[in-house]
Amino acid sequence: MKIAILGKPFDENQTAFMQEMIDDLVRRQAELSILESFYAYLSQYIQLPEGITTFRRGDSLLGTRFVLSIGGDGTLLDTVTYVGPLQIPILGINTGRLGFLATISPDKIAQAIDALFKGHFVLEDRSLIRVDTDPDTFGDINFGLNEFSILKRDTSSMIVVHTYIDGEYLNSYWADGLIVSTPTGSTGYSLSCGGPVMLPQTNNFIIAPVCPHNLNVRPLIVSDRSVISFEIEGRSNNFLLSLDSRSNTVEAGIQIAVRRENFTTRLVKLNHVNFLSTLRSKLNWGLDRRNPAGIPV
């Protein structure tokens, strides 16, 4: 079984878990390939056996059975860009903080690896958002798992985002910016702007203004089969476009359209972990003394 590993620096108290993970995978005769920069980092803290290959961005992961993302949710979002249309299942190991997407804690790595090899898991397809701009802004990595955002630059005054759905005028948002979120991203930036939480299988986008000047303008749910296009204007001639953790400065007059990507991201979910249990644990839902004893939190 070929397994690719991507990651970010982690706390030194998690070094033992990382060593156990590598040793366990080697014992199971897994063919390991590690992101080159992460390999250099790991080699400073743990013993890496011979025979491990490395890869860089742009190298194909074709033939890989699973990808392990070691870090937080940001690391997993970055991992999605390495996998792309190959749709290789991704297992998120959380060495970060909140961990909505990377749900496996370091002390559960051994059980997670065992589940992978025994097939005790389910695959959850998550829709992606695709951004097309003229002139081109994001190159070949013009898709994201969480959200696309149009934002003002630093201390500039608010901007106006004229928004259209399938060519039909929707609204002109006077705000600090505008977010178009996937169901996965509904628990991220969109949530902090008053957007709703959506289940991952919901086939919709959320359009949510960032600090709107008109308080009667609320987040809107639209079908992800729609094409949403934008025109931006403001006192400044420069604006910020953000796609998950990647952002670029653009000029007024740029043409922007977003739609659902034609491939998905596949996340590995162990049998005891699902979106609803993650909501309860990460957002502290159910922590109410009025709830009957025995209801899981």
Side-chain angles (χ1 to χ4, degrees), residues 160-182:
V160 186
V161 184
H162 306 292
T163 305
Y164 304 81
I165 298 179
D166 293 329
E168 183 178 347
Y169 176 68
L170 168 64
N171 187 34
S172 293
Y173 292 91
W174 294 72
D176 283 358
L178 193 69
I179 303 166
V180 182
S181 168
T182 67

Side-chain angles (χ1 to χ4, degrees), residues 285-295 297:
W285 286 12
L287 296 182
D288 193 315
R289 290 182 297 176
R290 296 170 295 181
N291 287 339
I295 292 182
V297 176

Side-chain angles (χ1 to χ4, degrees), residues 246-267:
R246 307 178 303 281
S247 59
N248 289 293
T249 300
V250 299
E251 295 183 355
I254 187 172
Q255 298 181 33
I256 308 168
V258 302
R259 69 195 75 203
R260 178 171 174 160
E261 183 56 274
N262 58 18
F263 57 87
T264 63
T265 284
R266 289 179 176 164
L267 301 183

Side-chain angles (χ1 to χ4, degrees), residues 22 38 41 54 83 86 134 139 197 204 213 225 269 271 277:
I22 296 295
F38 191 52
Y41 174 79
T54 62
V83 173
L86 293 177
D134 185 14
V197 174
N204 293 305
H213 187 257
R225 298 303 176 187
K269 294 296 180 182
N271 292 338
S277 65

Side-chain angles (χ1 to χ4, degrees), residues 78-275:
D78 192 36
T79 300
V80 169
T81 67
Y82 283 85
V83 173
L86 293 177
Q87 300 186 133
I88 302 166
I90 301 171
L91 177 67
I93 297 172
N94 183 27
T95 59
R97 293 184 289 272
L98 192 59
F100 256 101
L101 300 172
T103 56
I104 305 301
S105 59
D107 61 326
K108 301 295 184 183
I109 293 177
Q111 295 94 312
I113 297 300
D114 190 56
L116 287 185
F117 280 82
K118 291 181 177 179
H120 296 169
F121 60 87
V122 295
L123 295 180
E124 192 172 82
D125 282 355
R126 299 290 185 95
S127 61
L128 300 168
I129 189 169
R130 173 190 174 97
V131 181
D132 293 301
T133 64
D134 185 14
D136 184 36
T137 303
F138 295 103
D140 293 333
I141 311 176
N142 63 336
F143 56 89
L145 179 59
N146 263 9
E147 75 270 315
F148 166 70
S149 304
I150 302 171
L151 302 167
K152 70 175 187 176
R153 287 288 313 279
D154 303 324
T155 59
S156 63
S157 59
M158 72 176 69
I159 61 177
V160 186
V161 184
H162 306 292
T163 305
Y164 304 81
I165 298 179
D166 293 329
E168 183 178 347
Y169 176 68
L170 168 64
N171 187 34
S172 293
Y173 292 91
W174 294 72
D176 283 358
L178 193 69
I179 303 166
V180 182
S181 168
T182 67
T184 298
S186 70
T187 55
Y189 194 5
S190 173
L191 182 64
S192 69
C193 293
V197 174
M198 292 200 297
L199 297 182
Q201 293 76 27
T202 308
N203 297 318
N204 293 305
F205 288 136
I206 302 168
I207 302 176
V210 180
C211 299
H213 187 257
N214 304 104
L215 297 183
N216 59 337
V217 177
R218 311 306 303 164
L220 178 68
I221 297 175
V222 301
S223 169
D224 65 5
R225 298 303 176 187
S226 306
V227 176
I228 309 171
S229 54
F230 309 96
E231 297 172 358
I232 318 170
E233 61 177 282
R235 293 180 182 174
S236 171
N237 194 46
N238 294 319
F239 312 100
L240 194 68
L241 300 188
S242 176
L243 183 57
D244 284 351
S245 57
R246 307 178 303 281
S247 59
N248 289 293
T249 300
V250 299
E251 295 183 355
I254 187 172
Q255 298 181 33
I256 308 168
V258 302
R259 69 195 75 203
R260 178 171 174 160
E261 183 56 274
N262 58 18
F263 57 87
T264 63
T265 284
R266 289 179 176 164
L267 301 183
V268 176
K269 294 296 180 182
L270 303 188
N271 292 338
H272 65 282
V273 177
N274 58 55
F275 182 75

